[in-house]
Amino acid sequence: MIDLHCHSTVSDGRLSPAEVVRLAHQNGCTLLALTDHDHTGGLAEARAEAAALGLRFVSGVEISVTWHGNTVHIVGLDFDEGNAALQNLLAAVRQGRLKRLEAIAAKLEKKGIVGAYEGALALAANPEMVSRTHVADFLIQQGHVRNKQQAFTKYLGDGKSCAVPHQWAELADCVAAINGAGGLAVVAHPMRYGFSATAKRRLFEEFKALGGAGIEVHSGSCSKNDSLNYALLAERYGLLASAGSDFHRPGDFSGGILGACPELPKGCRPVWEHFKAV
Ligand code: AMP
Ligand code: MN
Ligand code: MN
Ligand code: MN
């Protein structure tokens, strides 16, 4: 039972790192990575809890990248989080979230929704990591939308009325930083970008040429058919296969069940077979 993609209060998840590990363990997980957005601050706590429970744990992070104008997420796995170059890259990526929040709040205010800046910050355990998820929570709290999905389709999703384009890390720098820290780089939830076949080919070829290791063949609540398709693409582009729930909070079914991803399709080469021995 494996899960190599989930979030805690260090980024936009609802549970503390230790709580994430405990719930994954309860769900039968035997190998876990915590992958907060652009931040490794939860890893020490999660690792200690996993050790106490006898659950195998590897380091993880989900890095925000801008690739040809699109936001793409790259998961780093099994790296040394003490690596200075990686930490410098993450610090640079985190910068600018507050400025972006200001711009999003200004756009919401033009729609008659006031207080999003303070409101989102009040809901973020880690202000440096304030995200669109926290803005969505504020919109739900204030009764402007019914749920997270509606917050994104109405206001916050890429290209929607209150979205603010943002420049994240370069793909090349991101992969180099993960590899430089001894880790493996994986394209997160490739089925969620809405890319054409051509864009996928470009992304996977470029990623592989830069030293990328794999792609998520299973993510969250993706369909079995998605998994089969991305298993074939992984094979075609010589990439390993990863699996992650993208869990953010209990009761949110857009993420999968924490700690318990379905088995990969036959023929996949699992990324975890390349993890350093513990
Ligand atoms: P940010 O890093 O601040 O741009 O926020 C991105 C986060 O918002 C993602 O990690 C998801 O948790 C969430 N998110 C992005 N797009 C959607 C969507 N269409 N529906 C639901 N959640 C989304
Ligand atoms: Mn998130
Ligand atoms: Mn993501
Ligand atoms: Mn994620």
Side-chain angles (χ1 to χ4, degrees):
M1 294 284 255
I2 285 166
D3 193 343
L4 302 176
H5 186 152
C6 60
H7 297 272
S8 77
T9 45
V10 166
S11 62
D12 59 349
R14 189 58 67 78
L15 305 181
S16 70
E19 286 169 337
V20 169
V21 172
R22 281 198 288 275
L23 181 56
H25 181 253
Q26 267 175 38
N27 290 346
C29 186
T30 54
L31 173 58
L32 183 73
L34 176 68
T35 57
D36 276 305
H37 296 286
D38 310 325
H39 210 304
T40 59
L43 296 182
E45 180 186 317
R47 185 178 292 115
E49 189 66 23
L53 294 169
L55 162 57
R56 189 175 170 206
F57 182 83
V58 295
S59 55
V61 67
E62 182 178 18
I63 305 180
S64 314
V65 160
T66 302
W67 180 73
H68 298 288
N70 303 286
T71 297
V72 167
H73 286 170
I74 303 296
V75 164
L77 296 170
D78 198 28
F79 52 84
D80 166 20
E81 72 248 39
N83 182 275
L86 176 65
Q87 289 302 336
N88 287 341
L89 177 116
L90 295 178
V93 177
R94 290 195 293 269
Q95 267 194 4
R97 279 189 176 268
L98 287 169
K99 275 248 166 302
R100 181 182 66 149
L101 177 61
E102 255 174 45
I104 293 172
K107 285 193 161 185
L108 284 166
E109 198 159 327
K110 289 214 174 98
K111 304 227 164 253
I113 298 172
V114 294
Y117 185 85
E118 297 74 13
L121 274 179
L123 296 170
N126 185 3
E128 184 190 28
M129 282 309 300
V130 68
S131 84
R132 284 182 290 168
T133 300
H134 302 109
V135 182
D137 287 341
F138 164 79
L139 292 172
I140 296 165
Q141 183 195 61
Q142 297 296 307
H144 298 292
V145 294
R146 280 194 308 276
N147 52 44
K148 188 176 174 190
Q149 204 49 52
Q150 202 181 30
F152 278 89
T153 37
K154 219 169 154 186
Y155 298 112
L156 303 173
D158 295 340
K160 302 296 178 185
S161 61
C162 298
V164 173
H166 194 73
Q167 190 65 38
W168 304 106
E170 295 289 335
L171 182 64
D173 297 341
C174 170
V175 175
I178 293 168
N179 288 345
L184 295 155
V186 167
V187 178
H189 43 65
M191 51 296 280
R192 285 229 314 256
Y193 302 120
F195 284 163
S196 67
T198 312
K200 280 183 230 172
R201 178 171 53 74
R202 281 181 71 192
L203 174 61
F204 296 155
E205 284 181 355
E206 200 177 316
F207 180 67
K208 170 85 182 174
L210 290 169
I215 64 174
E216 287 182 352
V217 160
H218 168 83
S219 170
S221 55
C222 83
S223 68
K224 224 177 156 142
N225 208 36
D226 274 336
S227 285
L228 289 170
N229 284 334
Y230 284 90
L232 289 175
L233 290 173
E235 192 185 356
R236 180 178 309 159
Y237 296 106
L239 292 160
L240 304 172
S242 188
S245 64
D246 206 0
F247 171 87
H248 282 77
R249 62 184 70 184
D252 179 357
F253 296 108
S254 64
I257 298 168
L258 175 66
C261 293
E263 220 175 298
L264 292 178
K266 272 205 292 290
C268 283
R269 295 185 298 138
V271 68
W272 53 87
E273 289 178 359
H274 296 254
F275 290 168
K276 296 179 270 295
V278 271

